[in-house]
Amino acid sequence: MNKIAMLLIVMLMMPAGAMGISLPEQVVKETPGLQLAGKGRLRWLGLLIYDASLWARGANWDAGQDFALDIRYARDIKATRLIGTTVDEMRRLGVVDEQKIAQWTEQMARVFPDVSKGQHLTGVNRAGIGADFYYQGKFAGAIADPEFARAFFAIWLDPRTREPGLRKSLIGKK
């Protein structure tokens, strides 16, 4: 067996944390038992925007369970842009209640920071409760609305996502 094939086999057998992919310690403590389901990259016009990893309970991701989506940004992005893009995608995926969108926008503005290259945000789906958010591993806030959580995580995980290849990589179907 050649050296490259051996290296690939060793890397595939290593735990995710050993390859530099891990969840913030606070998330691990508050949501024990999550395992890496998949990971992927978002590129736009050839530019790397972020790396994402999805953490789930058991072998397969289940939208009805607790799970975490960790995004490590490759660019500086203002919170207003993150929120605007989130709202646009929620609308595209079928959220039509403008009163809810206004309420969620206000809540996201209290939780989402400006992000810089190399920083990460982690969203944790709390099944039946809502979503918790962590910035650089520290709790940033929660939006206690399961409908918000479904709409938010659908941006990446719904079959109608704008990035189906990323979805497949995240849910481990690639």
Side-chain angles (χ1 to χ4, degrees):
M1 182 177 293
N2 69 34
K3 289 179 184 179
I4 293 174
M6 182 62 93
L7 178 63
L8 286 173
I9 290 170
V10 169
M11 286 176 62
L12 288 171
M13 293 171 49
M14 292 172 70
M19 293 186 290
I21 300 170
S22 62
L23 280 174
E25 188 176 321
Q26 190 173 359
V27 175
V28 172
K29 284 180 184 175
E30 294 174 13
T31 317
L34 295 181
Q35 300 172 1
L36 182 66
K39 59 189 174 69
R41 289 192 148 167
L42 177 69
R43 292 186 179 277
W44 186 70
L45 298 176
L47 300 173
L48 177 61
I49 307 300
Y50 59 72
D51 289 316
S53 58
L54 180 66
W55 301 77
R57 293 194 192 277
N60 296 307
W61 166 75
D62 178 348
Q65 298 287 323
D66 289 354
F67 61 84
L69 178 68
D70 186 72
I71 299 178
R72 185 168 302 277
Y73 290 87
R75 312 208 155 283
D76 297 351
I77 302 174
K78 295 282 187 194
T80 53
R81 176 119 189 220
L82 289 173
I83 294 165
T85 301
T86 297
V87 167
D88 291 346
E89 286 302 298
M90 286 175 165
R91 284 183 178 127
R92 188 184 70 75
L93 291 169
V95 176
V96 296
D97 186 333
E98 289 302 319
Q99 188 173 8
K100 279 193 187 222
I101 287 175
Q103 181 183 13
W104 294 343
T105 299
E106 199 174 289
Q107 292 173 314
M108 286 187 286
R110 287 193 296 267
V111 174
F112 291 2
D114 295 338
V115 293
S116 298
K117 180 179 180 178
Q119 294 182 330
H120 65 106
L121 287 174
T122 307
V124 179
N125 181 68
R126 302 283 180 211
I129 297 170
D132 291 348
F133 294 94
Y134 299 80
Y135 169 64
Q136 290 295 97
K138 307 257 186 274
F139 184 72
I143 299 177
D145 183 341
E147 191 175 348
F148 167 82
R150 277 189 300 278
F152 178 80
F153 292 110
I155 294 168
W156 294 269
L157 302 172
D158 188 281
R160 301 167 296 156
T161 182
R162 197 177 289 276
E163 298 293 333
L166 177 59
R167 176 185 183 268
K168 285 179 182 175
S169 293
L170 289 172
I171 64 174
K173 300 289 185 189
K174 196 165 191 180

